[in-house]
Structure formats: structure tokens, C-alpha cells
Amino acid sequence: MINDLIEISKEAGELIRNDFGKTHSIEFKTNELNLVTETDKASEKLITDFIRKKFPSHGILAEEGSDVNKTAEYLWVIDPLDGTTNFAHGLPIFSVSIGLMKNGETIAGVINDVNRNIIYSAEKNNGSFANGIKINVSTNSNLAHSLLVTGFPYNVKENPDKAFERFIEFLKSARAIRRLGSAAIDFCYVASGVFDGFWEVSLHPWDICAGKLLVEEAGGFVTDFDGKKIDIYSKRILCSNKLVHQKMIDVMKNI
Ligand code: IPD
Ligand code: CA
Ligand code: CA
């Protein structure tokens, strides 16, 4: 089934690429920071039409609301355009993220890094790949030499879960921090050894599902801020190359 995820993520990436740089009808979701364009919706329609046609018994959990049969044996978890703010402002960092779960466990994940033309893919117990080439997390164990990445939720101004304080502590302890604006790409760059670690609060299942598997299959850890196991509904996500994981937990301990 991984080939189905790859095929449809490529088609969705093409659709998004064709729309990029054009004028968009932008709507607000929860507030003025949280945008949705017609491209998010068109990408979701393309992906979910494909699933409904080819796998009519499968369930769907998708960001823009095309949910069906969420208790089915197989569940597709879809972010049709991750990085909408970047997309709407003309910044070429956005992706398509598709995870496939079987009985509650993620068995496959694909993220299309649209503007770099890279398809990241992973299957349970079979490693992670970038355009078919095996990828691994970084080998750095020194937090002071780490490049980290984070993101902020759309209610950031309310400082949910002390997001600002955590950001400041990591600024002091790591080499540098980036904020790319696509959580799915953040996971891919941990999986491929670019970033040593990534943390964020208030992500959603479609941000987490494929990326978590990609990082784990590349040799990394994905937990909550206490090092405990998470699922796609968890709100505190810490992911790393394993080697700096405990050090990142220690930084967050007193926040
Ligand atoms: C957002 C991006 C961003 C993250 C936000 C997400 P969207 O997803 O992944 O990097 O910081 O928390 O909501 O809305 O562009 O799909
Ligand atoms: Ca997202
Ligand atoms: Ca999205």
C-alpha cells in the first residue's frame, strides 16, 4: 500500500505546486492566524477521492473535515497541505502528509516535501527513505552542538503550555533553533539527520501520524516532554535522534 500513498502524495504535490504563487481565496479558521485556502481543500478532495474509490472500506481522518468511518480497520490520516501560512505568503516550505494506520498502529507514512521534490516514506519495521534512499537520524550527542526546530500553534499569543519559556530555554542550550512552518517537514528533517531534535505543543493527528513513523524508522525517538509514549492525539511532542533526547527532556524539566 505504500505505493498508493506515494502516488497520491505526488499528485497532491503537483496540484499544490501549480497553485503556488497565484492569488488565493483565504479564509480564517479558529482565528486570523489560522488560514485555509482553496488549495488545501482541493488537495484534500484529490486524496480522499482516491481513497474512497480504491479503498471504499477504509476510514479517513483529514484536516479539512472529509472524515469517514474513523473506527475502520484501516485509517488514513491526512494533512493535505502542511504549511498553509508559508504557502499563502509565497514561502516555498510546505508539504503533503499521509499516514496509514491499521487497528490503531501506523503502518506507513509518506510526506511530500513539495518544493524540494523529495518523497519521504516509511513502513513499519522497514526503515525510512527519501526518494528511495535510506535515511538515518544524526549521530550528534551534544545538545550544545545541536540544530533544533520547533513550531507554534495558532493560539500562540495566549502562550499555551508555556511555549515561549520553552523556546527561550532551548535558545540558551542548543546551537541554533529554526521555525520552518511545516511540522511534517520538521519530522522529515529529524529523520534525515538535518535537525537533531524537534518539539512542539498542540499539534494534530495529521501533523504527527506520518512524521512519527518516519523518525522512528530512521532510528529516532518520538515521545512526550517526559519521555513517555505518545499517540497521534498527544499534544506535547518531542522528537530527536535519540542521543539528545534525555538532554532535551532535562531542559524542559523546570518549565
Ligand atoms: C501547521 C504547521 C506549523 C505548525 C502548526 C501547524 P498547517 O500546520 O505544521 O509548522 O507550527 O502547529 O498547525 O495549519 O499549515 O497544516
Ligand atoms: Ca498541519
Ligand atoms: Ca494543513
Side-chain angles (χ1 to χ4, degrees):
M1 249 174 314
I2 189 81
N3 289 334
D4 295 298
L5 277 76
I6 292 174
E7 178 190 334
I8 196 60
S9 78
K10 280 185 179 169
E11 284 182 30
E14 273 311 303
L15 179 152
I16 296 169
R17 211 194 322 266
N18 285 336
D19 279 2
F20 185 50
K22 298 182 182 153
T23 314
H24 304 290
S25 66
I26 295 172
E27 290 167 42
F28 302 142
K29 289 165 88 177
T30 47
N31 62 25
E32 282 188 13
L33 272 58
N34 190 356
L35 314 179
V36 61
T37 69
E38 74 285 1
T39 305
D40 298 69
K41 295 178 189 168
S43 173
E44 182 160 311
K45 185 171 184 318
L46 181 87
I47 298 165
T48 54
D49 282 353
F50 170 89
I51 298 165
R52 282 175 218 258
K53 196 168 166 211
K54 193 153 181 191
F55 304 103
S57 65
H58 289 193
I60 295 174
L61 171 60
E63 180 172 13
E64 308 310 335
S66 326
D67 300 3
V68 282
N69 202 7
K70 283 188 277 182
T71 53
E73 183 185 14
Y74 288 94
L75 180 68
W76 295 66
V77 184
I78 301 159
D79 193 331
L81 201 179
D82 186 52
T84 299
T85 306
N86 290 347
F87 174 80
H89 285 263
L91 180 66
I93 303 175
F94 43 80
S95 59
V96 177
S97 176
I98 304 178
L100 178 62
M101 304 184 86
K102 184 178 180 192
N103 296 325
E105 185 192 29
T106 307
I107 55 166
V110 168
I111 294 172
N112 182 348
D113 184 345
V114 175
N115 290 295
R116 291 203 312 152
N117 260 312
I118 300 181
I119 304 287
Y120 291 91
S121 62
E123 280 177 286
K124 186 81 191 158
N125 299 326
N126 196 33
S128 287
F129 299 84
N131 285 345
I133 296 165
K134 198 161 180 348
I135 52 171
N136 295 294
V137 294
S138 66
T139 55
N140 164 45
S141 59
N142 185 343
L143 188 58
H145 294 176
S146 293
L147 183 62
L148 305 180
V149 67
T150 190
F152 298 97
Y154 292 119
N155 60 342
V156 60
K157 294 183 187 180
E158 292 150 29
N159 192 16
D161 199 359
K162 299 194 174 172
F164 297 156
E165 288 82 349
R166 204 168 283 111
F167 184 69
I168 289 167
E169 286 310 310
F170 277 120
L171 268 178
K172 290 187 211 159
S173 48
R175 173 171 284 156
I177 299 179
R178 301 289 178 254
R179 196 287 194 237
L180 299 186
S182 166
I185 292 183
D186 298 336
F187 279 112
C188 293
Y189 290 4
V190 174
S192 56
V194 174
F195 294 129
D196 303 294
F198 163 46
W199 82 94
E200 184 160 350
V201 296
S202 305
L203 286 175
H204 298 281
W206 41 83
D207 298 312
I208 298 169
C209 189
K212 177 175 182 286
L213 183 67
L214 268 155
V215 169
E216 290 172 342
E217 288 296 323
F221 273 165
V222 186
T223 69
D224 69 8
F225 294 168
D226 299 314
K228 296 206 181 75
K229 218 174 148 200
I230 59 143
D231 61 31
I232 60 168
Y233 297 95
S234 300
K235 288 292 156 205
R236 291 172 143 197
I237 306 300
L238 170 64
C239 119
S240 81
N241 67 358
K242 236 180 217 177
L243 301 173
V244 297
H245 209 80
Q246 187 57 45
K247 292 164 190 164
M248 291 184 74
I249 292 172
D250 292 345
V251 167
M252 294 189 280
K253 251 184 197 147
N254 300 319
I255 295 169

